[in-house]
Amino acid sequence: MKSKTASSGISRRALVSTIAALPVLSGTLFSTSASAQTATAGDPLPSWNDGASKQSIVNFVNAVTRAGSPDFVPVPERIATFDNDGTLWTEHPMYVQLVFALDRVKALAPQHPEWKDKQPFKAVLEGDMKTLADSGEHGLLELMMATHAGMTSDEFSKIVTDWFATARDQRFKRPYTELVYQPMLELLAYLRANGFKTFIVSGGGIEFMRPWSERVYGIPPEQVVGSSIKTRFEMRQGRPELFRLPEVNFIDDKAGKPVGINEFIGRRPIAAFGNSDGDLEMLQWTTMSGGVRLGLIVHHTDAEREYAYDRDTSFGRLDKALDAAAINKWTVVDMKKDWKVIFPSER
Amino acid sequence: MKSKTASSGISRRALVSTIAALPVLSGTLFSTSASAQTATAGDPLPSWNDGASKQSIVNFVNAVTRAGSPDFVPVPERIATFDNDGTLWTEHPMYVQLVFALDRVKALAPQHPEWKDKQPFKAVLEGDMKTLADSGEHGLLELMMATHAGMTSDEFSKIVTDWFATARDQRFKRPYTELVYQPMLELLAYLRANGFKTFIVSGGGIEFMRPWSERVYGIPPEQVVGSSIKTRFEMRQGRPELFRLPEVNFIDDKAGKPVGINEFIGRRPIAAFGNSDGDLEMLQWTTMSGGVRLGLIVHHTDAEREYAYDRDTSFGRLDKALDAAAINKWTVVDMKKDWKVIFPSER
């Protein structure tokens, strides 16, 4: 199974994003309640500049929530799915989960003297990112398994939590959970205030996100869909344990996103939010179903306040999905123009 | 992958239960709101006779919901998981999903003239249950794939819905969705009224249960965990579709139940409800975690009003889990003694 998995057509994008899924649990500026505070009186989206993007969101919500309207959608069917990396928080210059994996290799190196001479670990320990990138899919998979498997689920959750408590983004000098997008927090709260159930549907690791998704986004663990490795239940010394195995279970990216949505949620969303080609199929599945639907893409256009990238990036690439947006009338958010602030700290 | 799956150690119990997972959608006596109507004033569990079983449930709920108590559990962590077959509805003399599969073979037979001479289809068409049983795991898997795969998810949902509208249990002459246990409907409502989020965690097929779980149990599709086959996303003639493939994805039974709980819910339950050895690991995972927890087993002791079976049945066997109940102080419900009524129609 392992060799099958490693040799199958898992894209590097997916692997990198899978490698990259753990949580930040340190104290931050925003909490679950904070993310809801903007959804009450007045403008529910104060960090959004007036314009076509903001208007398309408000129009959609009004249409599906107006009783008696032909576009009305009952509350239980108001499902909204959000990609995470690049849609709800910063993914550049490297997926947060990949930063975590590299840090874990360094932390575990003393127990693995053989890594000094073994790629891709050698490259990580020497900070040789070029060689690491050249190790390709197989190298990244090895890195992921060495750092994400071989412990219980509870142990992994604690490792993730502890890491987020001290890890800081190099450019912004902040915990990663503070590098979430304030306008998207407002959007999450606005949708929930209108009866929507909000889900994360991310290529990132499901157990990397769950320890902090509720605190940061107001999204509880059971509403997080993501990539996963297999686990095995075992009674050990009279205690039930779930062990994380070095074997891919599910890659929740590209065509895997509708599959994951159907398996975990069992309903078709009426709104979906992404930022890259990895979200194309989720946006198609959501919006091409008849009825008034909302597809939205966060276009990273602000190199000064965050980053600017689309068709030419090696990951988080926005190319096919940008073309599809024009055809399907999806909202394309121009980060620079549409967002008054990027991060909660700017408020 | 197919051959690997067929030859791996999937138990017959699991296969039968997987085969057996579709919903009843006809009009019934009970609705979502009906299932909540008993949870208000007065006795929240009117169909339960006073005694140790009922008391253990009430004591548990009081302990974990009393603010300031050392046993208090915050609302978001009040997760309760329920097996379906034999725990929430009747599973004898045959899993409902297996009845569905047999009916589907008969319905599809005209399009498959080769089935007349091919086992296990021949046995099904001739009503030869002995030969069908002798076909074992492999035969049941073939049956499942022939009836559950080869269509889109939407199409399958409609097939399930249409089947439940007309199918009737032979003994009770009622739609299968009316053969749910009234005391368990009250228990679901009682837990929800006390801040619990209720989930189904069944060996049955996830897409067999979702079309009716909300109407019958008040449990929405996104809170149903079950066995599944793989699906593939495809754009066909410009429409996004999810195709059901003849390949097992996940068997949510026995040691698979804690795995499914962790993957789908991402939190450890504090209460779990089952009726067979297929629920043993879920009960262990739930109750052996420190803190006040509730494990409960429905023991089928009432041959007159429903069925009586435990250690000697070929499926729904309650043997190891009954021994474990005594050791772990799980509540064992004596259906005959503890339940005033079995089905909603008796009220």
Side-chain angles (χ1 to χ4, degrees):
Chain A
M1 189 68 182
K2 191 176 172 188
S3 62
K4 180 187 182 301
T5 309
S7 65
S8 68
I10 296 167
S11 76
R12 182 159 154 189
R13 160 74 174 83
L15 283 175
V16 175
S17 96
T18 301
I19 283 171
L22 294 170
V24 176
L25 285 158
S26 63
T28 67
L29 294 175
F30 36 86
S31 65
T32 302
S33 55
S35 68
Q37 77 190 184
T38 53
T40 50
D43 183 355
L45 301 171
S47 299
W48 292 72
N49 286 312
D50 290 333
S53 294
K54 181 174 183 171
Q55 200 56 51
S56 72
I57 296 168
V58 173
N59 288 350
F60 165 74
V61 170
N62 287 344
V64 298
T65 59
R66 194 168 38 223
S69 149
D71 303 320
F72 180 80
V73 175
V75 167
E77 293 167 28
R78 293 183 199 159
I79 303 289
T81 54
F82 288 80
D83 170 58
N84 186 39
D85 297 305
T87 299
L88 293 178
W89 75 353
T90 293
E91 66 180 346
H92 268 236
M94 204 187 281
Y95 288 109
V96 178
Q97 197 173 348
L98 182 53
V99 180
F100 166 79
L102 302 184
D103 277 1
R104 289 301 298 160
V105 167
K106 289 168 205 159
L108 293 168
Q111 298 158 245
H112 294 275
E114 75 279 11
W115 284 355
K116 279 200 297 260
D117 306 304
K118 190 185 173 194
Q119 295 297 7
F121 305 99
K122 183 171 186 286
V124 175
L125 296 173
E126 293 172 353
D128 177 359
M129 297 307 283
K130 162 117 187 31
T131 300
L132 176 62
D134 290 346
S135 73
E137 272 183 37
H138 182 71
L140 288 168
L141 186 66
E142 268 202 275
L143 213 57
M144 183 173 84
M145 294 313 173
T147 54
H148 286 65
M151 71 290 279
T152 69
S153 283
D154 286 348
E155 286 165 352
F156 183 71
S157 178
K158 185 173 183 323
I159 289 167
V160 168
T161 300
D162 290 348
W163 182 79
F164 271 97
T166 57
R168 296 292 181 270
D169 178 80
Q170 289 213 336
R171 174 175 164 192
F172 297 104
K173 316 289 181 204
R174 288 186 177 275
Y176 290 101
T177 46
E178 295 186 22
L179 300 181
V180 297
Y181 306 132
Q182 174 63 24
M184 296 304 284
L185 294 181
E186 292 168 10
L187 177 52
L188 283 165
Y190 174 53
L191 290 174
R192 288 193 292 259
N194 281 282
F196 281 77
K197 207 163 181 176
T198 53
F199 288 81
I200 290 174
V201 176
S202 169
I206 196 164
E207 300 215 44
F208 183 78
M209 298 181 282
R210 281 175 164 162
W212 52 275
S213 62
E214 185 147 35
R215 183 180 57 80
V216 173
Y217 298 133
I219 296 178
E222 61 270 26
Q223 288 164 222
V224 176
V225 181
S227 298
S228 59
I229 59 178
K230 289 192 185 293
T231 61
R232 185 181 60 224
F233 176 84
E234 244 178 59
M235 291 295 294
R236 244 190 218 191
Q237 298 173 318
R239 284 170 54 97
E241 300 279 10
L242 281 170
F243 283 92
R244 292 171 59 80
L245 308 177
E247 196 178 323
V248 170
N249 179 55
F250 177 61
I251 301 292
D252 189 47
D253 199 33
K254 300 187 192 292
K257 289 204 174 189
V259 169
I261 287 169
N262 186 60
E263 185 172 349
F264 281 73
I265 307 175
R267 299 199 217 243
R268 202 149 164 177
I270 63 167
F273 306 84
N275 79 299
S276 79
D277 285 359
D279 304 309
L280 173 63
E281 289 85 351
M282 173 171 75
L283 285 156
Q284 290 172 325
W285 178 242
T286 300
T287 62
M288 300 170 76
S289 59
V292 172
R293 301 290 179 258
L294 178 63
L296 183 148
I297 288 174
V298 174
H299 189 186
H300 292 260
T301 53
D302 196 331
E304 275 184 39
R305 294 189 298 171
E306 202 239 11
Y307 297 99
Y309 57 97
D310 46 39
R311 299 187 194 268
D312 297 324
T313 186
S314 63
F315 61 91
R317 184 196 307 272
L318 176 61
D319 182 28
K320 283 184 206 168
L322 198 53
D323 295 336
I327 297 165
N328 294 288
K329 304 198 194 313
W330 297 334
T331 297
V332 178
V333 170
D334 181 334
M335 196 179 242
K336 189 171 183 174
K337 209 180 98 207
D338 288 331
W339 287 0
K340 280 184 198 154
V341 301
I342 308 288
F343 302 123
S345 57
E346 297 165 33
R347 286 182 306 176
Chain B
M1 190 64 185
K2 194 177 170 186
S3 62
K4 180 187 182 302
T5 308
S7 64
S8 69
I10 297 167
S11 75
R12 184 158 150 189
R13 161 76 173 82
L15 283 176
V16 175
S17 94
T18 301
I19 283 172
L22 294 170
V24 176
L25 285 158
S26 64
T28 66
L29 294 175
F30 35 87
S31 66
T32 303
S33 55
S35 69
Q37 77 190 182
T38 54
T40 50
D43 184 354
L45 301 170
S47 299
W48 291 72
N49 286 313
D50 289 335
S53 293
K54 182 174 183 171
Q55 200 55 52
S56 72
I57 295 168
V58 173
N59 288 349
F60 164 75
V61 170
N62 287 343
V64 299
T65 58
R66 194 167 38 224
S69 148
D71 302 320
F72 179 79
V73 175
V75 166
E77 292 167 28
R78 293 183 199 160
I79 303 289
T81 55
F82 289 79
D83 171 57
N84 185 39
D85 297 306
T87 299
L88 293 178
W89 75 356
T90 293
E91 65 180 345
H92 268 236
M94 203 187 282
Y95 288 110
V96 178
Q97 196 173 351
L98 183 52
V99 181
F100 165 80
L102 302 186
D103 277 1
R104 289 302 297 160
V105 167
K106 290 168 205 158
L108 292 168
Q111 298 158 243
H112 294 275
E114 74 281 9
W115 284 356
K116 280 200 297 262
D117 306 304
K118 191 185 175 193
Q119 294 296 6
F121 304 99
K122 185 170 184 287
V124 175
L125 296 174
E126 294 171 354
D128 177 0
M129 298 307 285
K130 160 114 186 39
T131 301
L132 176 62
D134 289 347
S135 73
E137 270 183 39
H138 183 71
L140 288 168
L141 186 65
E142 267 202 276
L143 214 57
M144 181 173 86
M145 294 314 172
T147 55
H148 286 65
M151 72 289 281
T152 69
S153 283
D154 287 348
E155 286 164 353
F156 183 71
S157 178
K158 185 176 182 320
I159 290 167
V160 169
T161 300
D162 290 347
W163 182 79
F164 270 97
T166 58
R168 296 292 179 272
D169 180 80
Q170 290 212 336
R171 174 174 165 194
F172 297 105
K173 316 289 182 203
R174 288 186 177 276
Y176 290 101
T177 45
E178 295 186 21
L179 300 181
V180 297
Y181 305 132
Q182 175 62 25
M184 297 303 283
L185 294 181
E186 292 167 9
L187 178 52
L188 283 165
Y190 175 53
L191 291 173
R192 287 194 291 260
N194 280 282
F196 281 77
K197 207 163 182 175
T198 53
F199 288 82
I200 290 174
V201 177
S202 169
I206 196 164
E207 300 215 47
F208 184 78
M209 298 180 281
R210 281 175 165 164
W212 52 275
S213 62
E214 185 148 34
R215 183 179 57 80
V216 173
Y217 298 134
I219 296 177
E222 61 269 26
Q223 286 162 226
V224 176
V225 182
S227 298
S228 59
I229 59 178
K230 290 193 185 290
T231 61
R232 186 182 58 225
F233 175 86
E234 245 178 58
M235 290 296 293
R236 245 189 216 192
Q237 299 175 313
R239 282 170 54 98
E241 300 280 9
L242 280 171
F243 284 92
R244 291 172 61 80
L245 308 177
E247 198 178 321
V248 170
N249 179 55
F250 178 60
I251 301 293
D252 188 47
D253 199 33
K254 299 188 194 292
K257 289 204 175 190
V259 169
I261 287 168
N262 187 60
E263 185 173 349
F264 281 74
I265 308 175
R267 301 198 215 243
R268 203 150 166 176
I270 63 167
F273 305 85
N275 78 301
S276 79
D277 285 0
D279 305 310
L280 173 62
E281 289 85 350
M282 173 170 75
L283 286 157
Q284 291 172 325
W285 179 240
T286 300
T287 63
M288 300 171 75
S289 58
V292 172
R293 301 290 180 259
L294 178 62
L296 183 148
I297 287 174
V298 175
H299 189 187
H300 292 260
T301 53
D302 197 330
E304 277 184 39
R305 294 189 298 172
E306 202 238 12
Y307 296 99
Y309 57 96
D310 45 37
R311 298 187 195 268
D312 296 324
T313 186
S314 63
F315 61 89
R317 183 196 306 274
L318 176 62
D319 182 28
K320 283 185 206 168
L322 197 54
D323 296 336
I327 296 165
N328 294 288
K329 302 196 197 314
W330 297 334
T331 297
V332 178
V333 170
D334 182 333
M335 197 179 242
K336 189 171 183 174
K337 208 179 100 211
D338 288 332
W339 287 0
K340 281 183 198 157
V341 300
I342 308 288
F343 302 122
S345 57
E346 298 166 34
R347 285 183 305 172

